[in-house]
Amino acid sequence: MSWPLTNLGDLITESRIPADYPNADRRIRVRLNVLGVEKRPLENEKEGATKQFIRRAGQFIYGKQNFHKGAFGIVPSELDGFESSADIPSFDVRDDCLPEWIYYYFKIGNRYLDLERIARGVGSKRIHPDQIANIRIPLPDLKTQRGMVEKFKGMENRSEMVTVELSDQLDLVNQLRQAFLREALQGKLVPQDPKDEPASELIKRIKAEKEKLIKEGKIKKQKELPPINPDEIPFEIPKNWVWCRLGELVLSMSTGPFGTMLHKQDYVPDGIPMVNPMNIVNSKIVASGKMMVDEQTRQRLKSYILRTGDVVVGRRGEMGRCAVVTEQEDGWLCGTGSFFLVLHQLVYQLYFVKVLSSSFARTSLMGSSVGATMNNLNHKILSQLAIPLPPFNEQRRIVDKIEEIMRYCTDLEKSIKQSQAQNEQLLQQVLREALSPDKTKKGKSYKMSEEVSMAAED
């Protein structure tokens, strides 16, 4: 026996009980990606600016702007009597239909994504109640609905347990990465070679060459850096290594252009990328179409042009973001939110990036950062960062070993993420089969997209 199909509009009735005494601290919001209904954080809102309506536990509720992005759910008991505007309508459900039945109908197989077809509007698309009224959904008897809903919940709980386990595994992989990186920076990952020139001699050579370049006017004289105090040293290093300041290793350090040097008309959809912290992902530079300028602007800001081998360091937000400029990014511009450094040739750029990406460097930078709303770095903070410096050849050996280990970690991470995706696919497949087409229509495949198209036409 097949399940009968019923218009959604016949099962739900919009609830429009006005809130006579609106309370901004008793508002509801519906999260995207089917993440549920919750209390909205208290915001600065002009009293009486938007009419509010009372919502009751057990009502089906959705966001007009984001229904097709998963903003729907059931009002939980703890939010009974809370409020929302007409942009987040809620509905009483007919006695012979469980609110959870409607919820799972849209959730299973991500059916809600098909609703984008009927969203109306130019700048901000919305889905109004009349647009979903003609969507036809299967409606078995209440006993069957209860049994199916309990089955759906059980499946989700089991899937959630697997998801949590896999998430824990991903966390362990990240911890493993940092553990190997920490060992590398303590000189424990690769053996020392007594034939290597000690890092103390390396520092002397760098200092001598910098003084020569200053006299020749090729680089600017830097402010003298304070000696490293014992309490700044977080761990011991091999005898042929040295602790030094970051500023001792660079020939030049510059920030990107000031914001006032760029104007709205300078940005173009297809031009030369600017590198800001958001463009530094996993120690690689990734272009963004949102931050590109034309050739004329690049020439005007030519002192901020990046060259192969430069190191870009984010100075805002997440500490430790950095990457080496490759030939592909040669000619791009440093953004306003970044530094770009020219390292001495006796400092291997990739080793430098590994140091800044480590937890100890990030913690140190975070502790020294300034700013009330966002963490910010300045020249002084970055220049004074303590760096464990090995001999040059060992820098390369360390990077090679770290890269080998990180490839293993990446493969492990991919495997875990594939398991996560398979877990989700399996859940959706089982749920779809539980609400299978042949139980709703005989002789015809039942698809949500067909019902949405019918609703759009109506």
Side-chain angles (χ1 to χ4, degrees):
M1 181 177 179
S2 62
W3 294 337
L5 293 173
T6 305
N7 285 351
L8 183 60
D10 293 335
L11 298 175
I12 60 175
T13 303
E14 185 173 359
S15 175
R16 297 184 64 86
I17 304 171
D20 295 329
Y21 303 99
N23 184 347
D25 195 32
R26 289 176 60 82
R27 298 279 159 81
I28 282 176
R29 71 176 181 185
V30 188
R31 299 179 64 189
L32 302 177
N33 303 314
V34 203
L35 290 178
V37 184
E38 64 183 17
K39 180 182 182 297
R40 192 187 75 179
L42 189 61
E43 300 173 356
N44 292 327
E45 185 174 323
K46 189 179 292 185
E47 190 173 347
T50 304
K51 192 171 183 179
Q52 303 294 321
F53 299 89
I54 300 295
R55 305 311 183 192
R56 293 300 181 192
Q59 290 179 334
F60 179 74
I61 190 168
Y62 75 84
K64 287 182 179 179
Q65 286 187 349
N66 295 308
F67 193 175
H68 58 289
K69 297 178 182 178
F72 64 94
I74 308 297
V75 179
S77 58
E78 64 268 20
L79 297 181
D80 183 62
F82 275 57
E83 313 161 0
S84 72
S85 69
D87 262 352
I88 307 179
S90 69
F91 304 82
D92 294 314
V93 181
R94 210 169 73 184
D95 290 344
D96 60 343
C97 179
L98 298 176
E100 292 84 2
W101 183 255
I102 298 173
Y103 167 79
Y104 277 109
Y105 170 76
F106 284 109
K107 182 176 181 179
I108 290 174
N110 295 329
R111 285 191 178 102
Y112 63 87
L113 295 174
D114 287 323
L115 293 172
E116 187 174 6
R117 298 185 184 190
I118 61 173
R120 291 196 302 241
V122 180
S124 177
K125 291 186 176 182
R126 283 175 164 77
I127 297 174
H128 298 274
D130 64 301
Q131 292 173 265
I132 61 173
N134 291 328
I135 293 176
R136 294 169 64 76
I137 74 170
L139 188 69
D141 58 76
L142 276 173
K143 181 179 179 181
T144 301
Q145 289 180 45
R146 290 191 184 97
M148 296 296 289
V149 166
E150 288 304 311
K151 184 176 182 179
F152 295 156
K153 288 180 179 179
M155 291 175 185
E156 287 187 324
N157 288 338
R158 288 191 292 274
S159 178
E160 180 63 24
M161 290 174 65
V162 174
T163 298
V164 169
E165 174 62 28
L166 292 172
S167 295
D168 288 343
Q169 290 180 21
L170 283 177
D171 288 339
L172 288 173
V173 172
N174 288 327
Q175 291 175 31
L176 192 63
R177 282 194 174 102
Q178 283 298 326
F180 281 120
L181 190 52
R182 185 167 54 252
E183 285 202 353
L185 301 184
Q186 292 175 359
K188 298 178 181 179
L189 197 61
V190 298
Q192 275 73 55
D193 187 342
K195 297 178 182 178
D196 287 340
E197 179 186 44
S200 56
E201 294 300 315
L202 218 62
I203 288 291
K204 288 177 183 178
R205 290 172 59 191
I206 293 172
K207 184 177 180 181
E209 187 167 341
K210 286 175 69 173
E211 288 175 352
K212 181 185 175 196
L213 293 172
I214 291 169
K215 287 180 180 179
E216 294 173 352
K218 293 181 179 178
I219 63 172
K220 294 181 180 179
K221 185 176 181 179
Q222 300 169 347
K223 290 184 178 180
E224 189 172 344
L225 296 168
I228 295 178
N229 296 319
D231 58 358
E232 292 182 81
I233 298 175
F235 47 78
E236 292 184 2
I237 55 176
K239 292 180 179 180
N240 60 343
W241 291 32
V242 294
W243 280 100
C244 61
R245 300 285 187 192
L246 182 149
E248 297 179 71
L249 307 178
V250 301
L251 299 179
S252 67
M253 180 192 303
S254 306
T255 58
F258 293 111
T260 53
M261 298 172 71
L262 286 158
H263 309 286
K264 188 176 181 180
Q265 60 269 25
D266 293 330
Y267 295 103
V268 294
D270 186 17
I272 297 100
M274 298 194 73
V275 182
N276 283 297
M278 62 173 286
N279 304 113
I280 305 172
V281 182
N282 295 328
S283 300
K284 303 289 183 183
I285 297 174
V286 180
S288 169
K290 296 180 180 179
M291 299 296 288
M292 293 187 172
V293 296
D294 56 26
E295 179 59 33
Q296 184 178 356
T297 301
R298 176 167 68 171
Q299 291 305 316
R300 179 167 60 82
L301 302 175
K302 60 184 179 181
S303 58
Y304 304 100
I305 292 177
L306 299 171
R307 296 303 179 195
T308 303
D310 290 351
V311 176
V312 185
V313 180
R315 65 186 184 94
R316 295 175 182 166
E318 182 183 337
M319 299 290 98
R321 285 190 183 185
C322 56
V324 179
V325 177
T326 67
E327 290 183 3
Q328 180 181 340
E329 297 98 36
D330 191 285
W332 292 9
L333 282 172
C334 182
T336 57
S338 300
F339 290 97
F340 65 108
L341 287 58
V342 178
L343 294 173
H344 191 278
Q345 62 183 4
L346 293 177
V347 181
Y348 188 34
Q349 295 105 322
L350 292 178
Y351 173 77
F352 183 86
V353 168
K354 299 300 181 189
V355 175
L356 262 66
S357 302
S358 68
S359 57
F360 104 83
R362 290 184 175 188
T363 301
S364 179
L365 292 173
M366 179 70 75
S368 303
S369 63
V370 295
T373 58
M374 182 182 291
N375 300 313
N376 280 272
L377 299 177
N378 55 37
H379 282 82
K380 181 180 178 181
I381 294 170
L382 195 57
S383 295
Q384 293 189 8
L385 177 67
I387 300 283
L389 185 68
F392 183 72
N393 290 335
E394 189 171 349
Q395 294 175 38
R396 288 185 171 275
R397 293 198 300 272
I398 288 172
V399 170
D400 289 344
K401 190 63 178 178
I402 290 175
E403 294 293 347
E404 177 188 336
I405 292 171
M406 293 309 168
R407 283 193 293 271
Y408 167 76
C409 290
T410 299
D411 290 342
L412 189 57
E413 187 176 63
K414 285 181 180 178
S415 176
I416 295 170
K417 287 182 177 179
Q418 286 174 355
S419 296
Q420 285 181 321
Q422 290 167 359
N423 177 54
E424 178 61 26
Q425 289 169 4
L426 179 61
L427 172 65
Q428 292 297 334
Q429 179 64 30
V430 173
L431 291 177
R432 277 195 297 270
E433 289 177 0
L435 191 60
S436 60
D438 58 5
K439 290 184 180 179
T440 59
K441 287 186 177 182
K442 289 185 176 179
K444 183 178 179 182
S445 176
Y446 181 77
K447 295 181 180 178
M448 171 66 174
S449 56
E450 294 176 1
E451 300 302 339
V452 171
S453 296
M454 291 168 57
E457 291 170 6
D458 291 341

